[in-house]
């Protein structure tokens, strides 16, 4: 007996599109997404495509028409509900563009609920292109089969972040000058949490004092070595996902 091939195939392209998606909906793609499907993936009518909208989960769709500049898809059925996202934010000081891009990509893959870029006194970079950041996050989510995108906030100054900190959310402060061992600190706290990581040059003394004085803050150490900001962010998010997130 010939085995029925899995449908949709594992190799089916995945795309985030504006929602809400529904059974039978028609989705018209243009621009980069149409180019990707039509030219790069050489999609033909009948080919399977996985669509997500960050609202209603993940859907099987089929190409109904593939032109030079636009591709039309018909939504067939829902494959998965939108996933439950662990309630963990990454508050990362802005760092040089290529390194912050890496943080955006990896934090998305690791499954954070939100990414909040933070401006501190020693930040070399002070701007983030929101469209570019959204593209990086979306492509990372497509690649790793997330059905939810992390919320991407505008850059916020550290003092405003602290002032407006929501009640009940623990703020783990990655402090290269020391703190509680991160794994134990994460394990000891159930509930909403966030990680604050500094820029290339770290926090200055006044900032460190202000963060440490905040009632939600717990200073943590990521070990005896001074990590680059992106390494600190990525490794601490991974550690939180392994202790409190959804790696179980
Ligand atoms: N002050 C630094 C380097 C800062 S490292 C210097 O000597 O130039 C960038 C950021 O990564 C820090 O602000 C901190 O948030 C985090 N970080 C790096 N190593 C860390 C460690 N061992 N423990 C906790 N946080 C660390």
């Amino acid at each position: 007996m010939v085995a029925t091939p899995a449908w949709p195939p594992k190799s089916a392209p995945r795309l985030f599109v504006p929602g809400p998606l529904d059974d039978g909906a028609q989705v018209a793609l243009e621009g980069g997404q149409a180019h990707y499907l039509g030219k790069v993936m050489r999609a033909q009518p009948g080919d399977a495509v996985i669509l997500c909208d960050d609202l209603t989960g993940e859907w099987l769709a089929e190409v109904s028409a593939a032109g030079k500049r636009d591709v039309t898809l018909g939504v067939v059925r829902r494959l998965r509900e939108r996933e439950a996202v662990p309630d963990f934010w990454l508050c990362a000081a802005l760092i040089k563009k290529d390194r912050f891009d890496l943080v955006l990509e990896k934090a998305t893959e690791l499954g954070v609920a939100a990414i909040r870029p933070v401006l501190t006194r020693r930040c070399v970079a002070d701007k983030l292109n929101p469209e570019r950041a959204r593209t990086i996050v979306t492509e990372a989510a497509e690649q790793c089969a997330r059905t939810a995108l992390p919320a991407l906030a505008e850059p916020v100054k550290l003092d405003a972040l602290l002032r407006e900190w929501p009640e009940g959310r623990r703020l783990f402060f990655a402090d290269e000058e020391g703190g509680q061992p991160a794994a134990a600190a994460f394990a000891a706290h159930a509930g909403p949490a966030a990680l604050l990581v500094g820029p290339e040059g770290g926090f200055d003394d006044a900032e460190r004092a202000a963060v440490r004085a905040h009632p939600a803050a717990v200073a943590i150490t990521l070990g005896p070595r001074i990590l680059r900001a992106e390494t600190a962010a990525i490794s601490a998010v991974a550690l939180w996902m392994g202790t409190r997130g959804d790696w179980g």
Side-chain angles (χ1 to χ4, degrees):
M1 200 172 79
V2 183
T4 318
W7 191 261
K10 279 242 178 320
S11 58
R14 309 178 58 85
L15 291 174
F16 273 84
V17 294
L21 292 166
D22 204 353
D23 286 305
Q26 294 286 307
V27 178
L29 302 179
E30 294 172 342
Q33 288 186 323
H35 176 85
Y36 169 71
L37 276 192
K39 286 273 161 73
V40 182
M41 303 302 290
R42 298 179 181 281
Q44 302 294 324
D47 284 359
V49 176
I50 310 291
L51 296 180
C52 291
D53 60 2
D54 195 27
L55 292 168
T56 62
E58 181 186 79
W59 298 77
L60 169 64
E62 276 181 16
V63 176
S64 38
K68 282 221 170 98
R69 286 203 187 76
D70 40 34
V71 173
T72 312
L73 305 161
V75 176
V76 180
R77 66 185 154 89
R78 197 193 320 242
L79 298 171
R80 284 194 286 164
E81 295 284 338
R82 187 178 188 271
E83 70 207 49
V85 180
D87 196 356
F88 191 68
W89 297 355
L90 173 61
C91 303
L94 272 187
I95 52 177
K96 288 201 187 107
K97 197 167 76 173
D98 53 336
R99 296 193 178 259
F100 199 77
D101 289 353
L102 185 76
V103 170
L104 292 170
E105 181 182 283
K106 299 308 165 200
T108 304
E109 285 177 63
L110 290 167
V112 299
I115 302 172
R116 305 199 61 186
V118 182
L119 297 169
T120 71
R121 287 199 198 100
R122 293 189 184 150
C123 274
V124 182
D126 62 357
K127 281 197 187 66
L128 180 71
N129 177 333
E131 258 133 69
R132 193 185 140 75
R134 211 164 300 121
T135 301
I136 292 169
V137 158
T138 305
E139 288 181 356
E142 288 164 354
Q143 182 272 326
C144 73
R146 274 188 78 157
T147 57
L149 296 173
L152 193 54
E154 304 230 325
V156 59
K157 287 194 172 158
L158 179 64
D159 54 357
L161 180 85
L162 295 177
R163 210 169 40 236
E164 290 151 20
W165 195 254
E167 186 129 351
R169 182 175 296 275
R170 179 62 48 89
L171 178 58
F172 292 110
F173 167 42
D175 188 351
E176 71 272 25
E177 295 195 354
Q180 296 181 28
F186 291 164
H189 173 75
L195 172 75
L196 175 63
V197 178
E200 294 90 341
F203 294 97
D204 72 15
D205 289 343
E207 288 172 333
R208 174 169 286 107
V211 179
R212 281 185 170 254
H214 195 283
V218 170
I220 56 167
T221 174
L222 303 174
R225 290 160 295 278
I226 310 262
L227 306 176
R228 279 181 178 267
E230 67 275 22
T231 317
I234 295 164
S235 57
V237 171
L239 186 61
W240 189 89
M241 286 294 163
T243 39
R244 278 288 168 193
D246 56 6
W247 288 13

